[in-house]
Amino acid sequence: MSQYPHLRLRRTRATTWSRALYRETVLTPADLIWPLFVTEGRGVEEPVGSLPGVSRWSVDAIADRAREAVALGIPCVALFPNTPHALRNETGTEAHNPQNLVCTAIRAIKDAVGDDLGVLTDVALDPYTSHGQDGLIDDNGYVANDATVDALVGQALVQASAGADIVAPSDMMDGRIGVIREALEDQGHHNVQIMAYAAKYASAFYGPFRDAVGSGGLLKGDKKTYQMDPANGDEALREVELDLLEGADSVMVKPGLPYLDIVRRVHEEFGVPTFAYQVSGEYAMIEAAVAAGAGEREPLVMETLTAFKRAGASGVLTYHAPVAARLMGG
Ligand code: PBG
């Protein structure tokens, strides 16, 4: 009895209303975090060559993007600086300057939209170092863990003091979440969240981002001694477990689409807020497909973003955030 023709799974797919009724996963603008690149100057919009449709904005223009995000129903933006090259050095000291681009942008956003928008900041030294690594390097070029953690604490604290709502360490040093959490508590930043880039892979998909923050040309070698091997899944669960024990409020898997299995495993194993970062190379691939006539932007964007949610993601960092939010009528 329980077979064709009694059972026809196409019945519920036959009409638009029925597909809407049976849809298991619903994407909304509230699922999106919009990454923004900040640059020097006033009234500046500087297109990023390898990310068609994405620009670096000066601080005043970033405040306009914040207003745009609120109007579109996007709850949070993520800030990344294109630090002037003259301010980069071996140890990334500009990361600790309370007047640096990111801190200035946080204040401008808070002045513009207050608490209508969350501001997430990246904790890692790569936009500030002259060598493009995320931390402090020793004589052999090895990124030294514990010295880097100390520097990251200082960076997270200036961001929190400037008004960041979420600090997001993307550096993959061991132990940094616990030390940052303790410092935030000590300084009275009890409600500043930590979103840990817990499972961040040494990926080939970060190229356009490194262009956007101006670290690509500086970087020698790779980041394989701290970012994870793309071949590993079980290890991602250990990373997530430690970051949660150390005080992370939410965790991230990065990149996105090639790692949906990890998103699924993290969500099932821990049941904690799990975010995915659809990174720059993934954005660029979609835009390249569109430019080549191999697909249409809107359906490609909506399908990929919906897939993140289906896999268990609580939300997605994506450069397509404004495009997607507009499609959803935001
Ligand atoms: C820096 C950082 C990177 C990204 C986010 N934070 C690059 C890297 O690790 O080299 C990549 C984001 C993207 O590609 O969109 N720690």
Side-chain angles (χ1 to χ4, degrees):
M1 266 292 276
S2 63
Q3 280 178 20
Y4 171 84
H6 305 85
L7 286 184
R8 292 179 187 269
L9 290 185
R10 290 185 57 191
R11 273 187 209 116
T12 58
R13 295 177 203 147
T15 56
T16 306
W17 68 262
S18 182
R19 288 192 295 274
L21 187 63
Y22 285 86
R23 190 158 296 136
E24 297 175 31
T25 305
V26 180
L27 184 75
T28 77
D31 296 313
L32 306 175
I33 297 176
W34 184 10
L36 292 167
F37 297 109
V38 193
T39 198
E40 282 220 304
R42 265 198 78 77
V44 176
E45 173 179 3
E46 222 170 59
V48 180
S50 51
L51 284 173
V54 173
S55 295
R56 306 181 192 98
W57 307 89
S58 54
V59 166
D60 56 313
I62 283 284
D64 292 336
R65 300 289 75 68
R67 291 188 190 92
E68 186 180 345
V70 172
L72 289 169
I74 296 170
C76 188
V77 295
L79 301 179
F80 300 95
N82 176 31
T83 307
H85 280 247
L87 297 178
R88 299 186 195 213
N89 57 28
E90 276 283 303
T91 54
T93 47
E94 178 65 5
H96 302 117
N97 175 4
Q99 310 303 332
N100 69 20
L101 278 174
V102 162
C103 292
T104 311
I106 298 168
R107 288 189 290 267
I109 291 173
K110 290 294 167 185
D111 280 349
V113 296
D115 280 338
D116 289 346
L117 185 71
V119 178
L120 178 153
T121 51
D122 206 69
V123 182
L125 299 183
D126 53 317
Y128 307 95
T129 54
S130 45
H131 45 72
Q133 294 287 357
D134 290 21
L136 307 176
I137 53 176
D138 67 16
D139 293 344
N140 303 316
Y142 185 76
V143 175
N145 194 87
D146 301 2
T148 298
V149 171
D150 288 343
L152 296 173
V153 169
Q155 181 183 20
L157 286 176
V158 295
Q159 293 172 349
S161 298
D165 299 293
I166 308 177
V167 294
S170 72
D171 55 287
M172 292 298 281
M173 296 302 113
D174 286 324
R176 86 281 203 218
I177 299 297
V179 181
I180 291 172
R181 171 55 76 208
E182 199 173 315
L184 289 172
E185 285 293 331
D186 281 351
Q187 300 291 312
H189 298 297
H190 307 298
N191 282 336
V192 171
Q193 300 175 27
I194 299 178
M195 182 184 291
Y197 283 73
K200 175 170 178 178
Y201 288 86
S203 170
F205 285 97
Y206 304 150
F209 172 96
R210 292 176 188 169
D211 275 356
V213 299
S215 68
L218 303 174
L219 183 66
K220 286 172 206 71
D222 54 46
K223 302 189 178 183
K224 290 180 183 171
T225 70
Y226 45 107
Q227 299 178 350
M228 282 182 54
D229 184 338
N232 295 357
D234 293 342
E235 188 185 341
L237 300 187
R238 297 189 69 198
E239 284 284 0
V240 167
E241 183 179 21
L242 288 176
D243 286 355
L244 290 170
L245 286 171
E246 291 174 29
D249 300 282
S250 58
V251 294
M252 196 200 295
V253 174
K254 173 185 175 192
L257 282 190
Y259 298 85
L260 284 189
D261 59 321
I262 309 298
V263 173
R264 166 61 89 195
R265 289 179 71 183
V266 168
H267 176 71
E268 283 189 347
E269 180 88 12
F270 299 99
V272 297
T274 305
F275 290 83
Y277 198 146
Q278 185 175 42
V279 298
S280 57
E282 299 178 71
Y283 173 95
M285 280 201 311
I286 291 177
E287 290 300 319
V290 172
E296 285 178 46
R297 177 179 298 110
E298 281 81 14
L300 286 170
V301 167
M302 294 307 285
E303 182 177 333
T304 52
L305 293 178
T306 302
F308 284 105
K309 281 212 81 181
R310 194 198 59 235
S314 320
V316 189
L317 290 90
T318 174
Y319 303 95
H320 279 123
V323 170
R326 247 173 238 119
L327 282 171
M328 291 182 266

